[in-house]
Each structure stands twice: as structure tokens, then as C-alpha cells.
Amino acid sequence: MRAADLSEIRKLDLFQSMDEDHFAALMKAAYFQTFPTGMQLITEGDMADFLFVVVEGCVELFAATNGREATMAMVKPVGTFILAAVLKDAVYLMSARTCAKSRVLMIPSQNVRNAFVKDDSFARAIVSELASCYRAVVRDHKDHKLRTAVERLANRLIKYHTCQGETGSLTLPYDKKTLASLLGMTPENLSRAFGTLKPYGVEVDGAKVTLSDIKSLTTLAKPNPLIDVRKA
Amino acid sequence: MRAADLSEIRKLDLFQSMDEDHFAALMKAAYFQTFPTGMQLITEGDMADFLFVVVEGCVELFAATNGREATMAMVKPVGTFILAAVLKDAVYLMSARTCAKSRVLMIPSQNVRNAFVKDDSFARAIVSELASCYRAVVRDHKDHKLRTAVERLANRLIKYHTCQGETGSLTLPYDKKTLASLLGMTPENLSRAFGTLKPYGVEVDGAKVTLSDIKSLTTLAKPNPLIDVRKA
DNA sequence: CGACGATTTGAATAGGATCAATGGGAGTGG
DNA sequence: CCACTCCCATTGATCCTATTCAAATCGTCG
């Protein structure tokens, strides 16, 4: 592992306050690998062998049952995933695949649990990370139970717009198929949802979206700080 | 607080391995109250003043936005709620109301965080509890993204049936209005979903449901251990 | 160039929501 | 004990949303 990567990982909230020796031991046990686009990293139902940290690229968490599949979340650098399964020593509830060439840190889950027991500071950092993840899923769940598809899209656009600097235009971070699944709809329906938003100043050209009437879009979307997060 | 209550709370995974003094201090700071049915305990958006533990009765977690409301979860004895908000010292993402006469322990969130810092054992118990809550929401979210309303109901019936001893019949634990919201549908639609399940041996009489053809109901429901939990 | 995948659009269908009306207890007051 | 009321639950009718199936378009890549 490169020193630069190591120091970047060390900067993560999760590892930052950890004892130096414990951190070194954890990293020594860890694997640092680069995966091509479309590689499946884990499969739901498997035992949680590793905690994953996305250092570069992008990872999609998804779930499937009964022939259907849904994107549950996207993990961007620097973010962890599948922490709860590792801590409970249980099976993964979600699968993961890269959706770009990605560099990923894989820490054997037994080592994570050991460090968790030995290092109080690490244990507390984990609580914070876990609580954040929990709240993120709750927000997502509220989004789906309380809004229609068009509203979800509108709020998502506003969020991307905000994160990308409020320039009046934004770039969709994923292809439309993935975005549709993330928002809980079919690609066809996403297309139509974009159509529905045209009267509200939403113009789409590939991954580029321009918002020419943010006021009316916001009126439609009714963003709510208890559902929508400010960060990407 | 009665000694019996205290010892019951002490038995909770969350408190059981905690240092005796720390536990005593926490309980001394806590309030133990009985609330009538329909009392709203917390409102989403408010700062997390207390961690709640339901000792008796039942509490509904719900969320609202833009005139719509949805039940997010039901908390039964002995269960905690709103832990993540307390740990992050953030606002509640959900509101809570009693749906039966309920005895509830309220621990000031500052005390929880203090105990969390002082007591490693408690900190670790919190991680475990939090990870469980996280996984529960993920399951719930999968349920909603991957299944139709009828499938969700069918799986829910199978779950209740299993929890209640597989006797061929079961009692719905909440009124149908609440059950509908919990399953993400309207009461009317729940009625119709029950109708749809009649050919699969589902007979409804008030809160009593008999399952006369569990095999075919299961075929329809396709329960999945990565979505459906065994416990009530 | 030709194949493939992503996206869009159209038409038909299914799944759910809304609105309205009715039947049925549970609880209240007489 | 009965009449009354209120709320829950069910049912019917209709509307709207979203999915499915099909087909056309557009780019990208080999």
C-alpha cells in the first residue's frame, strides 16, 4: 500500500483517532486492490468477511429477490460500506459491485472486531459512522414512503445542483439506469419524470441537466431537511 | 422507579454489561413515566433530548412531510428508539406516539453520551444495538423496493404466524390502519390485498387471521431470510 | 460498418390512491 | 337497555401513477 493512500485512509473519521499501533496492525492485515468497472465485490447472504473502504471510484450497493433488483445506495470516496454486518458477524444484507474502476481497501472483519475491542477510540468512531449510516437509510426510507417518483427526482436534482455549486446546471453522477433504480423507478419512468419536470425548467441533455427555474422546481419538490441531506 | 422495572431494564442487552455505578447514575437521571394511548412523545426535527426505552405498551415511530404521513416502525417492549439521534446529538428524524398505554424510560441524551464515553462496555453494547437497528431498516427498505403491496402483506402474515407459534391462525398486532401504513399502503388497499390473498387460504375476521393453505401462501410470498426477520 | 447497450417514446396494463358511501362495533349519554 | 355518535373497516367507482412490452433512436466501441 502506498504511503499516500495510507495517510488518506488515516484521515477518515473512522480511523483518525485510533491508536497508531492498532491502525498499523489493521492496515497490515488489510488488502488494497483495484477493481475494474462492473466487478461484483460481495453477494448478499455471504458471511461478512471484510469491511470495505472505497478510496477511489464508486461502488453500488444493491439487493435482489425473486428476479427483481434494486440499487440501495452508492458509495463514493472516501466511504465505508457493510459495517453493520461486520460488527454483528452476520451475513451481508446487500451485494456490491463497482460502477467505475475503483480502489478499495478490504479489512478482514475479524481484525475490525479485534480492533474494536482493543481500541476504545476506534469503537466510538465506529458508533458515529454507524449512526450516520443508520440515519441515511432512515432518510432514504422516508423519501420512498412519503414522496412520489417525480418528487424524489426533483429533490435529487436540487441536491445535486446544490452539491455542485449552484451554477444553474448539474451533471448526473450515474447513468440514468442506475439513477432510476436508486430512486426506485424504472428507466422508462425516469425518462417520463424528466418530461414531467420540463415545465419546471428542467432541461436534460445526456448527463447534463440545466435548471432554469429553481424557484418553481423547489415549490414542486418541497425539500425537507429531515429527508434530504446536503452532501452528495 | 420500581426495583422490578430496574432489574428488567438492567437485563436489556444495552445495559447488561454496563458498570454498576454507571448504570445507577444513568437510571438516577432517567425518568420513568406512563403515558396514555395516543400521546405524542417526540416530534421529528426536535433536538434529541432523550433516549427512549419502551418497557410496556407500544410506540409507533412515524414521519410526515407535505401533508402525508407514514408509519416507520413499531417499538415493543423491551426496545429502544431514537438511539442514533441521541448519539449524534442531532435532531430526531422520526416522531413517536404511544399506540397503547405505555411505560417508557426516558434517559437524558447527555447522560447517555457521558455513559458512552465513560463506559466501554456500554459503548460496545450500543454499537450492537445500533447495528441491529440499521440492519432492520435496511431489511425494511428492501421489502419496499423489491416487493408489491400484496407480497409485503403475505410475508408479514407469515412472519406473524411464525412468531405466534404456527398454529394456523394469528392475531394482527395493530389495527388495520396502522398495519397498512407500516406496510406502505392505504387502509383501502390493505382491505383489497386481504381480498387478493383469499384464494391463498387467508381468511380475515377482525384482527383474527386464519391461514388454511400456508404452502400456497408461501409460494406467493417467497419469503427471504435477507428481508424477513424471524422475530416479531 | 455493424453490433450492442443506453435512452427515449408509445401503447396497453397493472398496481395503488382517492373519493364516496355503507356497514359494524365500541363507547357515551339518556 | 337503547339510541346515538364516532371511528374503523370494507366496498365500489374512478383516477392517477408506474410497470411492462414494443419499437425507434442514438452513440459508442470493436
Side-chain angles (χ1 to χ4, degrees):
Chain A
M1 195 180 308
R2 300 185 311 201
D5 296 326
L6 213 62
S7 88
E8 189 176 13
I9 291 164
R10 182 67 153 140
K11 279 192 200 117
L12 270 175
D13 285 345
L14 196 54
F15 301 112
Q16 160 169 269
S17 57
M18 195 175 189
D19 177 89
E20 183 63 53
D21 291 347
H22 294 153
F23 178 71
L26 209 54
M27 288 306 109
K28 201 170 164 194
Y31 303 87
F32 198 45
Q33 277 190 258
T34 301
F35 295 101
T37 304
M39 170 79 53
Q40 181 152 347
L41 303 178
I42 61 176
T43 301
E44 54 179 318
D46 289 354
M47 277 304 293
D49 294 325
F50 296 96
L51 172 67
F52 289 77
V53 183
V54 182
V55 175
E56 208 178 296
C58 184
V59 171
E60 175 189 2
L61 303 182
F62 65 100
T65 194
N66 192 15
R68 277 161 273 180
E69 183 181 306
T71 301
M72 302 295 291
M74 306 298 290
V75 186
K76 296 241 181 157
V78 182
T80 68
F81 61 92
I82 235 71
L83 178 56
V86 167
L87 293 172
K88 301 282 308 183
D89 195 12
V91 298
Y92 297 123
L93 292 181
M94 299 183 279
S95 303
R97 67 167 81 96
T98 56
C99 49
K101 187 180 172 195
S102 303
R103 291 201 304 148
V104 174
L105 180 71
M106 300 165 58
I107 312 174
S109 55
Q110 188 57 57
N111 295 78
V112 174
R113 288 192 295 270
N114 289 346
F116 173 72
V117 170
K118 274 193 292 196
D119 193 310
D120 297 336
S121 182
F122 182 57
R124 291 191 181 102
I126 275 183
V127 167
S128 179
E129 169 80 8
L130 200 52
S132 296
C133 291
Y134 174 80
R135 285 167 67 86
V137 189
V138 169
R139 285 171 191 275
D140 215 21
H141 203 215
K142 286 171 67 173
D143 193 34
H144 280 265
K145 283 192 99 164
L146 292 167
R147 286 174 172 160
T148 65
V150 171
E151 289 171 336
R152 290 198 296 276
L153 174 60
N155 280 293
R156 185 60 64 125
L157 291 177
I158 290 172
K159 169 171 139 180
Y160 290 151
H161 180 246
T162 304
C163 295
Q164 294 177 20
E166 314 224 13
T167 62
S169 77
L170 60 96
T171 305
L172 299 176
Y174 324 111
D175 59 48
K176 298 212 176 88
K177 193 176 150 192
T178 305
L179 181 60
S181 183
L182 191 59
L183 291 174
M185 53 180 123
T186 58
E188 295 95 323
N189 203 29
L190 176 62
S191 259
R192 292 180 178 113
F194 272 121
T196 305
L197 291 180
K198 196 169 289 181
Y200 298 86
V202 176
E203 206 63 44
V204 186
D205 176 29
K208 268 269 172 300
V209 179
T210 58
L211 307 181
S212 59
D213 187 356
I214 293 173
K215 197 163 181 314
S216 86
L217 182 64
T218 303
T219 303
L220 170 78
K222 295 186 182 55
N224 180 332
L226 299 177
I227 301 179
D228 310 293
V229 203
R230 323 119 234 348
K231 65 161 200 162
Chain B
M1 193 180 310
R2 303 186 309 205
D5 295 326
L6 213 62
S7 88
E8 189 177 13
I9 292 164
R10 182 67 153 141
K11 281 193 199 115
L12 270 177
D13 285 346
L14 196 53
F15 301 112
Q16 135 175 291
S17 57
M18 196 174 189
D19 176 271
E20 184 62 53
D21 291 345
H22 294 153
F23 178 71
L26 209 55
M27 287 307 108
K28 202 170 163 192
Y31 305 88
F32 199 46
Q33 278 191 257
T34 301
F35 296 101
T37 304
M39 169 80 51
Q40 180 152 348
L41 303 179
I42 62 176
T43 301
E44 55 179 318
D46 289 354
M47 277 303 294
D49 294 324
F50 295 96
L51 172 67
F52 289 78
V53 183
V54 181
V55 176
E56 208 178 294
C58 184
V59 171
E60 174 188 3
L61 302 182
F62 65 101
T65 194
N66 192 15
R68 277 160 273 180
E69 182 181 307
T71 301
M72 302 296 290
M74 306 298 291
V75 187
K76 298 240 180 157
V78 181
T80 67
F81 62 92
I82 236 73
L83 178 56
V86 167
L87 293 172
K88 302 283 303 182
D89 196 11
V91 298
Y92 297 124
L93 293 180
M94 299 183 281
S95 303
R97 68 167 79 96
T98 56
C99 49
K101 187 179 173 196
S102 302
R103 290 200 303 148
V104 174
L105 179 72
M106 299 166 58
I107 312 174
S109 56
Q110 188 58 58
N111 294 79
V112 174
R113 287 192 296 271
N114 289 347
F116 172 73
V117 170
K118 273 193 292 195
D119 193 310
D120 297 336
S121 184
F122 181 57
R124 292 191 181 103
I126 275 183
V127 168
S128 179
E129 170 80 7
L130 199 52
S132 295
C133 291
Y134 174 79
R135 285 167 68 86
V137 189
V138 169
R139 286 170 190 275
D140 216 19
H141 203 215
K142 287 172 68 173
D143 193 33
H144 279 266
K145 285 192 97 165
L146 292 166
R147 285 173 172 159
T148 65
V150 171
E151 288 171 336
R152 290 198 296 277
L153 174 59
N155 280 292
R156 184 62 63 128
L157 292 177
I158 290 171
K159 171 171 137 180
Y160 290 151
H161 180 246
T162 304
C163 295
Q164 293 178 21
E166 314 224 12
T167 62
S169 77
L170 60 96
T171 305
L172 299 176
Y174 324 112
D175 58 49
K176 297 211 177 88
K177 194 178 151 191
T178 305
L179 181 61
S181 184
L182 190 60
L183 291 173
M185 54 179 124
T186 57
E188 295 96 323
N189 203 25
L190 176 62
S191 262
R192 292 182 177 110
F194 272 122
T196 305
L197 291 179
K198 196 168 290 182
Y200 298 86
V202 176
E203 207 64 43
V204 187
D205 176 29
K208 268 269 171 300
V209 179
T210 57
L211 308 181
S212 60
D213 187 356
I214 292 172
K215 196 164 183 310
S216 86
L217 182 63
T218 303
T219 303
L220 170 79
K222 295 185 184 55
N224 180 332
L226 300 177
I227 300 179
D228 309 294
V229 204
R230 322 116 235 351
K231 66 161 197 159

PDB file of all heavy atoms in Angstrom, chain B residues 89-110:
ATOM      1  N   ASP B  89     -26.085  13.572  18.671  1.00  0.00           N
ATOM      2  CA  ASP B  89     -26.535  14.860  19.217  1.00  0.00           C
ATOM      3  C   ASP B  89     -27.198  15.687  18.111  1.00  0.00           C
ATOM      4  O   ASP B  89     -26.857  16.838  17.873  1.00  0.00           O
ATOM      5  CB  ASP B  89     -25.365  15.633  19.826  1.00  0.00           C
ATOM      6  CG  ASP B  89     -25.856  16.761  20.731  1.00  0.00           C
ATOM      7  OD1 ASP B  89     -27.067  16.801  21.029  1.00  0.00           O
ATOM      8  OD2 ASP B  89     -25.032  17.603  21.124  1.00  0.00           O
ATOM      9  N   ALA B  90     -28.135  15.061  17.460  1.00  0.00           N
ATOM     10  CA  ALA B  90     -28.789  15.678  16.307  1.00  0.00           C
ATOM     11  C   ALA B  90     -30.300  15.687  16.502  1.00  0.00           C
ATOM     12  O   ALA B  90     -30.800  15.268  17.549  1.00  0.00           O
ATOM     13  CB  ALA B  90     -28.428  14.899  15.040  1.00  0.00           C
ATOM     14  N   VAL B  91     -31.010  16.170  15.524  1.00  0.00           N
ATOM     15  CA  VAL B  91     -32.466  16.196  15.628  1.00  0.00           C
ATOM     16  C   VAL B  91     -33.041  14.814  15.335  1.00  0.00           C
ATOM     17  O   VAL B  91     -32.446  14.013  14.627  1.00  0.00           O
ATOM     18  CB  VAL B  91     -33.074  17.218  14.638  1.00  0.00           C
ATOM     19  CG1 VAL B  91     -32.597  18.625  14.972  1.00  0.00           C
ATOM     20  CG2 VAL B  91     -32.743  16.862  13.198  1.00  0.00           C
ATOM     21  N   TYR B  92     -34.206  14.563  15.893  1.00  0.00           N
ATOM     22  CA  TYR B  92     -34.924  13.333  15.581  1.00  0.00           C
ATOM     23  C   TYR B  92     -35.329  13.337  14.112  1.00  0.00           C
ATOM     24  O   TYR B  92     -35.776  14.369  13.595  1.00  0.00           O
ATOM     25  CB  TYR B  92     -36.199  13.227  16.425  1.00  0.00           C
ATOM     26  CG  TYR B  92     -35.981  13.143  17.923  1.00  0.00           C
ATOM     27  CD1 TYR B  92     -36.576  14.058  18.778  1.00  0.00           C
ATOM     28  CD2 TYR B  92     -35.210  12.129  18.480  1.00  0.00           C
ATOM     29  CE1 TYR B  92     -36.407  13.969  20.165  1.00  0.00           C
ATOM     30  CE2 TYR B  92     -35.033  12.044  19.862  1.00  0.00           C
ATOM     31  CZ  TYR B  92     -35.622  12.966  20.690  1.00  0.00           C
ATOM     32  OH  TYR B  92     -35.456  12.885  22.050  1.00  0.00           O
ATOM     33  N   LEU B  93     -35.213  12.207  13.482  1.00  0.00           N
ATOM     34  CA  LEU B  93     -35.695  12.084  12.099  1.00  0.00           C
ATOM     35  C   LEU B  93     -37.108  11.528  12.057  1.00  0.00           C
ATOM     36  O   LEU B  93     -37.754  11.530  11.016  1.00  0.00           O
ATOM     37  CB  LEU B  93     -34.765  11.178  11.283  1.00  0.00           C
ATOM     38  CG  LEU B  93     -33.354  11.717  11.022  1.00  0.00           C
ATOM     39  CD1 LEU B  93     -32.548  10.711  10.204  1.00  0.00           C
ATOM     40  CD2 LEU B  93     -33.422  13.060  10.293  1.00  0.00           C
ATOM     41  N   MET B  94     -37.579  11.031  13.205  1.00  0.00           N
ATOM     42  CA  MET B  94     -38.912  10.464  13.247  1.00  0.00           C
ATOM     43  C   MET B  94     -39.653  10.983  14.467  1.00  0.00           C
ATOM     44  O   MET B  94     -39.033  11.359  15.464  1.00  0.00           O
ATOM     45  CB  MET B  94     -38.827   8.931  13.303  1.00  0.00           C
ATOM     46  CG  MET B  94     -38.139   8.314  12.093  1.00  0.00           C
ATOM     47  SD  MET B  94     -38.093   6.505  12.091  1.00  0.00           S
ATOM     48  CE  MET B  94     -36.743   6.174  13.211  1.00  0.00           C
ATOM     49  N   SER B  95     -40.955  10.991  14.397  1.00  0.00           N
ATOM     50  CA  SER B  95     -41.791  11.301  15.539  1.00  0.00           C
ATOM     51  C   SER B  95     -42.223   9.994  16.186  1.00  0.00           C
ATOM     52  O   SER B  95     -42.112   8.931  15.590  1.00  0.00           O
ATOM     53  CB  SER B  95     -43.024  12.085  15.096  1.00  0.00           C
ATOM     54  OG  SER B  95     -42.652  13.267  14.420  1.00  0.00           O
ATOM     55  N   ALA B  96     -42.719  10.095  17.416  1.00  0.00           N
ATOM     56  CA  ALA B  96     -43.167   8.890  18.104  1.00  0.00           C
ATOM     57  C   ALA B  96     -44.430   9.171  18.890  1.00  0.00           C
ATOM     58  O   ALA B  96     -44.579  10.250  19.470  1.00  0.00           O
ATOM     59  CB  ALA B  96     -42.073   8.368  19.037  1.00  0.00           C
ATOM     60  N   ARG B  97     -45.340   8.216  18.873  1.00  0.00           N
ATOM     61  CA  ARG B  97     -46.541   8.318  19.706  1.00  0.00           C
ATOM     62  C   ARG B  97     -46.871   6.943  20.271  1.00  0.00           C
ATOM     63  O   ARG B  97     -46.554   5.919  19.656  1.00  0.00           O
ATOM     64  CB  ARG B  97     -47.720   8.853  18.878  1.00  0.00           C
ATOM     65  CG  ARG B  97     -48.231   7.908  17.812  1.00  0.00           C
ATOM     66  CD  ARG B  97     -49.585   8.353  17.241  1.00  0.00           C
ATOM     67  NE  ARG B  97     -49.493   9.402  16.269  1.00  0.00           N
ATOM     68  CZ  ARG B  97     -49.470   9.199  14.945  1.00  0.00           C
ATOM     69  NH1 ARG B  97     -49.504   7.964  14.453  1.00  0.00           N
ATOM     70  NH2 ARG B  97     -49.402  10.215  14.115  1.00  0.00           N
ATOM     71  N   THR B  98     -47.493   6.940  21.435  1.00  0.00           N
ATOM     72  CA  THR B  98     -47.902   5.665  22.014  1.00  0.00           C
ATOM     73  C   THR B  98     -49.117   5.141  21.257  1.00  0.00           C
ATOM     74  O   THR B  98     -49.985   5.908  20.850  1.00  0.00           O
ATOM     75  CB  THR B  98     -48.294   5.838  23.491  1.00  0.00           C
ATOM     76  OG1 THR B  98     -49.313   6.839  23.586  1.00  0.00           O
ATOM     77  CG2 THR B  98     -47.098   6.282  24.317  1.00  0.00           C
ATOM     78  N   CYS B  99     -49.177   3.842  21.058  1.00  0.00           N
ATOM     79  CA  CYS B  99     -50.387   3.293  20.444  1.00  0.00           C
ATOM     80  C   CYS B  99     -51.020   2.300  21.411  1.00  0.00           C
ATOM     81  O   CYS B  99     -51.774   1.420  21.019  1.00  0.00           O
ATOM     82  CB  CYS B  99     -50.098   2.673  19.090  1.00  0.00           C
ATOM     83  SG  CYS B  99     -48.724   1.573  19.071  1.00  0.00           S
ATOM     84  N   ALA B 100     -50.686   2.477  22.661  1.00  0.00           N
ATOM     85  CA  ALA B 100     -51.311   1.747  23.762  1.00  0.00           C
ATOM     86  C   ALA B 100     -50.819   2.448  25.018  1.00  0.00           C
ATOM     87  O   ALA B 100     -49.865   3.225  24.965  1.00  0.00           O
ATOM     88  CB  ALA B 100     -50.893   0.277  23.771  1.00  0.00           C
ATOM     89  N   LYS B 101     -51.466   2.191  26.128  1.00  0.00           N
ATOM     90  CA  LYS B 101     -50.958   2.716  27.381  1.00  0.00           C
ATOM     91  C   LYS B 101     -49.552   2.152  27.575  1.00  0.00           C
ATOM     92  O   LYS B 101     -49.357   0.938  27.496  1.00  0.00           O
ATOM     93  CB  LYS B 101     -51.882   2.288  28.539  1.00  0.00           C
ATOM     94  CG  LYS B 101     -51.526   2.924  29.858  1.00  0.00           C
ATOM     95  CD  LYS B 101     -52.503   2.482  30.942  1.00  0.00           C
ATOM     96  CE  LYS B 101     -52.023   2.990  32.301  1.00  0.00           C
ATOM     97  NZ  LYS B 101     -52.701   2.304  33.412  1.00  0.00           N
ATOM     98  N   SER B 102     -48.590   3.031  27.787  1.00  0.00           N
ATOM     99  CA  SER B 102     -47.201   2.573  27.724  1.00  0.00           C
ATOM    100  C   SER B 102     -46.353   3.133  28.858  1.00  0.00           C
ATOM    101  O   SER B 102     -46.490   4.295  29.230  1.00  0.00           O
ATOM    102  CB  SER B 102     -46.573   2.993  26.392  1.00  0.00           C
ATOM    103  OG  SER B 102     -47.297   2.471  25.304  1.00  0.00           O
ATOM    104  N   ARG B 103     -45.477   2.284  29.356  1.00  0.00           N
ATOM    105  CA  ARG B 103     -44.494   2.748  30.337  1.00  0.00           C
ATOM    106  C   ARG B 103     -43.157   2.897  29.632  1.00  0.00           C
ATOM    107  O   ARG B 103     -42.676   1.968  28.978  1.00  0.00           O
ATOM    108  CB  ARG B 103     -44.399   1.774  31.499  1.00  0.00           C
ATOM    109  CG  ARG B 103     -45.685   1.826  32.340  1.00  0.00           C
ATOM    110  CD  ARG B 103     -45.445   1.280  33.722  1.00  0.00           C
ATOM    111  NE  ARG B 103     -44.935  -0.072  33.661  1.00  0.00           N
ATOM    112  CZ  ARG B 103     -44.098  -0.574  34.568  1.00  0.00           C
ATOM    113  NH1 ARG B 103     -43.697   0.158  35.575  1.00  0.00           N
ATOM    114  NH2 ARG B 103     -43.685  -1.815  34.454  1.00  0.00           N
ATOM    115  N   VAL B 104     -42.610   4.071  29.763  1.00  0.00           N
ATOM    116  CA  VAL B 104     -41.449   4.433  28.953  1.00  0.00           C
ATOM    117  C   VAL B 104     -40.362   5.024  29.835  1.00  0.00           C
ATOM    118  O   VAL B 104     -40.616   5.875  30.678  1.00  0.00           O
ATOM    119  CB  VAL B 104     -41.862   5.474  27.887  1.00  0.00           C
ATOM    120  CG1 VAL B 104     -40.650   5.973  27.132  1.00  0.00           C
ATOM    121  CG2 VAL B 104     -42.895   4.871  26.934  1.00  0.00           C
ATOM    122  N   LEU B 105     -39.147   4.553  29.621  1.00  0.00           N
ATOM    123  CA  LEU B 105     -37.988   5.104  30.318  1.00  0.00           C
ATOM    124  C   LEU B 105     -37.354   6.160  29.436  1.00  0.00           C
ATOM    125  O   LEU B 105     -37.115   5.926  28.252  1.00  0.00           O
ATOM    126  CB  LEU B 105     -36.987   3.983  30.597  1.00  0.00           C
ATOM    127  CG  LEU B 105     -35.699   4.380  31.312  1.00  0.00           C
ATOM    128  CD1 LEU B 105     -35.971   4.708  32.768  1.00  0.00           C
ATOM    129  CD2 LEU B 105     -34.676   3.260  31.199  1.00  0.00           C
ATOM    130  N   MET B 106     -37.108   7.324  29.997  1.00  0.00           N
ATOM    131  CA  MET B 106     -36.511   8.406  29.232  1.00  0.00           C
ATOM    132  C   MET B 106     -35.178   8.799  29.859  1.00  0.00           C
ATOM    133  O   MET B 106     -35.137   9.291  30.982  1.00  0.00           O
ATOM    134  CB  MET B 106     -37.449   9.605  29.234  1.00  0.00           C
ATOM    135  CG  MET B 106     -38.807   9.302  28.605  1.00  0.00           C
ATOM    136  SD  MET B 106     -40.046  10.581  28.980  1.00  0.00           S
ATOM    137  CE  MET B 106     -39.252  12.033  28.307  1.00  0.00           C
ATOM    138  N   ILE B 107     -34.116   8.584  29.126  1.00  0.00           N
ATOM    139  CA  ILE B 107     -32.781   8.905  29.644  1.00  0.00           C
ATOM    140  C   ILE B 107     -32.259  10.136  28.927  1.00  0.00           C
ATOM    141  O   ILE B 107     -32.156  10.136  27.691  1.00  0.00           O
ATOM    142  CB  ILE B 107     -31.803   7.735  29.408  1.00  0.00           C
ATOM    143  CG1 ILE B 107     -32.439   6.415  29.844  1.00  0.00           C
ATOM    144  CG2 ILE B 107     -30.490   7.983  30.122  1.00  0.00           C
ATOM    145  CD1 ILE B 107     -31.599   5.202  29.502  1.00  0.00           C
ATOM    146  N   PRO B 108     -31.939  11.189  29.662  1.00  0.00           N
ATOM    147  CA  PRO B 108     -31.440  12.407  29.014  1.00  0.00           C
ATOM    148  C   PRO B 108     -30.251  12.072  28.115  1.00  0.00           C
ATOM    149  O   PRO B 108     -29.359  11.322  28.505  1.00  0.00           O
ATOM    150  CB  PRO B 108     -31.013  13.280  30.196  1.00  0.00           C
ATOM    151  CG  PRO B 108     -31.859  12.816  31.330  1.00  0.00           C
ATOM    152  CD  PRO B 108     -32.032  11.343  31.131  1.00  0.00           C
ATOM    153  N   SER B 109     -30.256  12.611  26.914  1.00  0.00           N
ATOM    154  CA  SER B 109     -29.275  12.161  25.939  1.00  0.00           C
ATOM    155  C   SER B 109     -27.850  12.517  26.343  1.00  0.00           C
ATOM    156  O   SER B 109     -26.917  11.789  26.046  1.00  0.00           O
ATOM    157  CB  SER B 109     -29.611  12.711  24.553  1.00  0.00           C
ATOM    158  OG  SER B 109     -29.701  14.102  24.595  1.00  0.00           O
ATOM    159  N   GLN B 110     -27.705  13.605  27.088  1.00  0.00           N
ATOM    160  CA  GLN B 110     -26.356  13.961  27.544  1.00  0.00           C
ATOM    161  C   GLN B 110     -25.804  12.878  28.475  1.00  0.00           C
ATOM    162  O   GLN B 110     -24.631  12.523  28.399  1.00  0.00           O
ATOM    163  CB  GLN B 110     -26.385  15.326  28.253  1.00  0.00           C
ATOM    164  CG  GLN B 110     -25.009  15.864  28.588  1.00  0.00           C
ATOM    165  CD  GLN B 110     -24.136  15.999  27.330  1.00  0.00           C
ATOM    166  OE1 GLN B 110     -24.486  16.685  26.396  1.00  0.00           O
ATOM    167  NE2 GLN B 110     -22.997  15.315  27.307  1.00  0.00           N
TER     168      GLN B 110
END
